[in-house]
Amino acid sequence: MRQTALFTKTRKNAPSDEVSKNAQLLIRAGFIHKEMAGVYSYLPLGRKVLERIEGIVREEMNALGGQEIRMATLHPSELWKQTGAWDSVDVIFKIQSRTEKEYTVGQSEEEVVTPIGKEYITSYKDLPLVVYQIGQKYRDELRAKSGIMRGREFSMKDMYSFHATQEDFDRFYTLAKDAYLRVYTRCGLVAKATEASGGSFTQKLSYEFMVLTDAGEDDILYCDTCSFCVNAEISAQKEKDACTRCSKGNLSRAKASEVGNIFDLGKKYAQDFSLTFKDKEGKEQHPIMGCFGIGITRLMGVTAEALSDERGLVWPKSIAPFQVHLVSLGGKEQVVKEAERLYALFSERGVDTLYDDRDLRAGEKFIDSDLIGIPLRVVVSEKTLEQKKYEIVVRATGERCMFSEEELLQKVL
Ligand code: ATP
Ligand code: MG
């Protein structure tokens, strides 16, 4: 895409009421627009990052056998009264219609998915069933000061599974945990599978997936030797205690942000909605359900927090809005011609490129380029033309080198 055609522009300052680093950077770089506290619109660059995160999540959920659906966002209050959530869940928005009906908007969708499951599950042969969706969620959060890391409107991947037996649930739960860790690794982040409370209707533990960042709202304790990690909220242990899991390492405490959560829901929802199936002996049973969430917009926010530097955003290749930022310097005819040729070549080879074809000074272009944070910058200037090479700058490390066309193509393809 040509930068002259991109309707967003970078700006020097974020709104003065924006206190989080992720939103400040994303607003300044033109990825998002703030509507109110906790509510943001995603502009072309931001939309592209979300799309790429969604792509990774979709691949991993499909590989687990998940079938993608799109559930309704507007829900009748009756469904939520049936599970008790209408009165017990404090974050749900309640909407009064002019016909005196009451509705809510999706904040999690067990109340919608269970009746759908009920339509199609009659026998153990219909199980396991795994469905997921990616879309907007709405929560009446009290504090929304963490930018896109805690929205009142945000995007989530929510997956629900139905199983005939506890063994089958446990089998799937392990696979899902591994798939979750792969999602975060592929997004360029290191997440720890953290033991946490299972929520209000189960004694069991759940796993939260935590990325270490000072901007996080959770406290975790993790072992410096093995993979043990626990939410400090549920742990009797303290920082510097010996790890009881491996008895080799010690525990450290850190701030972290929860980028996903997987739960055993037991039979709660199946019972609430009288969902049963016939087991092998012909006996009616309630299936065991699981719920698996990933915060899509929070993942983007955590990346902006954890991987940025004093000059701006630093996107990992896998979720960057573009792979290459092609920057031409000076308006000399040969330079423009060469940059245009390279842009056409990249487009032809499928290298997603933002081409800074604006008539601006080098300094301004580089400041913008650093702020936007595309992984690789390719500079075409009179100097590079003389050497018959291109200057490459790696955003994450600042590393620079001069490449021939052949070397350049090898690097970007
Ligand atoms: P938190 O403790 O941070 O409020 P939660 O336990 O309420 O999270 P879940 O209901 O399990 O979260 O939702 C699944 C995932 O959705 C979370 O792991 C998180 O990544 C993301 N998420 C939850 N609430 C928000 C929010 N208000 N804004 C952005 N992402 C969110
Ligand atoms: Mg919450």
Side-chain angles (χ1 to χ4, degrees):
M1 177 175 208
R2 287 172 190 275
Q3 218 162 327
T4 46
L6 183 67
F7 81 83
T8 58
K9 294 185 177 51
T10 60
R11 43 190 275 191
K12 284 221 163 55
N13 300 306
S16 54
D17 64 341
E18 187 58 74
V19 292
S20 74
K21 180 168 83 169
N22 68 83
Q24 284 174 354
L25 284 172
L26 291 165
I27 291 171
R28 284 182 46 216
F31 284 62
I32 61 172
H33 179 260
K34 184 174 190 168
E35 307 304 335
M36 57 177 154
V39 181
Y40 299 86
S41 293
Y42 289 74
L43 307 177
L45 294 172
R47 172 75 199 134
K48 286 196 79 168
V49 173
L50 287 184
E51 229 167 54
R52 303 209 64 200
I53 298 173
E54 288 168 13
I56 292 172
V57 170
R58 202 168 261 128
E59 270 178 35
E60 293 292 344
M61 297 309 114
N62 290 346
L64 279 176
Q67 299 183 45
E68 188 167 1
I69 58 175
R70 175 142 337 169
M71 287 185 266
T73 308
L74 189 63
H75 308 162
S77 62
E78 288 77 15
L79 289 176
W80 291 75
K81 286 178 180 156
Q82 206 155 329
T83 61
W86 184 260
D87 294 314
S88 66
V89 177
D90 49 6
V91 294
I92 62 177
F93 282 107
K94 295 177 177 172
I95 300 170
Q96 184 86 46
S97 138
R98 59 181 166 166
T99 58
E100 313 249 304
K101 283 203 176 105
E102 283 176 319
Y103 302 94
T104 185
V105 275
Q107 58 87 30
S108 184
E109 310 224 352
E110 287 83 350
E111 278 75 3
V112 177
V113 82
T114 314
I116 292 175
K118 192 176 166 172
E119 291 272 335
Y120 298 98
I121 298 168
T122 52
S123 146
Y124 71 93
K125 290 179 187 154
D126 300 321
L127 299 171
L129 171 64
V130 182
V131 294
Y132 76 95
Q133 63 174 357
I134 299 176
Q136 300 298 87
K137 292 281 178 282
Y138 301 85
R139 291 186 185 181
D140 194 1
E141 302 277 5
L142 286 182
R143 286 175 307 280
K145 291 189 182 310
S146 300
I148 65 167
M149 290 169 65
R150 180 168 301 282
R152 295 199 167 103
E153 172 171 347
F154 59 98
S155 169
M156 194 208 280
K157 184 282 302 179
D158 44 333
M159 181 166 77
Y160 306 88
S161 66
F162 302 80
H163 305 268
T165 60
Q166 188 65 43
E167 294 73 63
D168 192 59
F169 173 84
D170 293 343
R171 171 197 64 81
F172 184 75
Y173 196 63
T174 307
L175 293 178
K177 183 182 161 202
D178 293 343
Y180 266 53
L181 290 172
R182 274 198 302 279
V183 165
Y184 305 119
T185 307
R186 288 181 62 183
C187 288
L189 295 167
V190 182
K192 290 180 175 294
T194 307
E195 295 177 7
S197 100
S200 41
F201 37 78
T202 169
Q203 299 299 311
K204 291 187 188 135
L205 288 179
S206 73
Y207 279 110
E208 291 171 343
F209 295 83
M210 294 284 188
V211 174
L212 300 191
T213 164
D214 286 339
E217 296 177 5
D218 287 271
D219 286 294
I220 59 167
L221 291 166
Y222 64 98
C223 177
D224 55 17
T225 307
C226 73
S227 63
F228 176 69
C229 183
V230 63
N231 194 314
E233 217 172 60
I234 63 155
S235 177
Q237 299 179 75
K238 295 189 299 290
E239 185 166 5
K240 298 199 177 79
D241 276 359
C243 174
T244 49
R245 193 65 52 92
C246 69
S247 26
K248 288 195 194 100
N250 291 310
L251 298 180
S252 300
R253 193 183 176 97
K255 285 254 167 248
S257 177
E258 181 197 315
V259 288
N261 199 341
I262 61 177
F263 279 103
D264 180 344
L265 296 174
K267 298 184 172 178
K268 148 95 184 146
Y269 290 95
Q271 281 162 350
D272 286 344
F273 289 103
S274 310
L275 159 57
T276 59
F277 68 96
K278 271 201 174 60
D279 68 12
K280 280 187 181 149
E281 281 74 46
K283 216 174 110 209
E284 292 290 337
Q285 298 248 24
H286 293 297
I288 292 162
M289 286 174 63
C291 165
F292 308 79
I294 291 184
I296 303 284
T297 40
R298 184 176 289 178
L299 255 180
M300 176 172 164
V302 167
T303 307
E305 289 282 342
L307 302 185
S308 55
D309 62 19
E310 65 293 343
R311 287 175 290 138
L313 298 158
V314 180
W315 297 106
K317 192 166 181 242
S318 57
I319 63 168
F322 291 94
Q323 297 305 298
V324 169
H325 201 173
L326 175 61
V327 178
S328 68
L329 299 185
K332 281 261 166 61
E333 201 187 319
Q334 302 128 289
V335 173
V336 173
K337 228 170 113 185
E338 183 55 17
E340 290 284 338
R341 188 186 70 83
L342 215 50
Y343 180 54
L345 185 66
F346 285 167
S347 308
E348 200 178 285
R349 302 285 180 97
V351 181
D352 205 7
T353 304
L354 181 65
Y355 169 28
D356 192 350
D357 56 342
R358 299 172 304 166
D359 185 14
L360 287 180
R361 282 183 295 113
E364 290 174 273
K365 288 194 172 191
F366 291 153
I367 286 173
D368 278 358
S369 176
D370 281 341
L371 179 59
I372 293 170
I374 294 167
L376 214 60
R377 184 195 301 162
V378 176
V379 182
V380 181
S381 67
E382 275 182 78
K383 188 183 102 193
T384 66
L385 274 188
E386 267 167 35
Q387 299 184 28
K388 293 204 166 41
K389 293 208 164 179
Y390 306 95
E391 187 185 38
I392 312 295
V393 186
V394 179
R395 175 64 183 90
T397 58
E399 186 191 339
R400 285 160 196 273
C401 33
M402 298 296 282
F403 275 2
S404 68
E405 179 168 331
E406 199 183 324
E407 291 166 328
L408 173 61
L409 283 176
Q410 254 172 23
K411 178 92 183 166
V412 301
L413 282 178

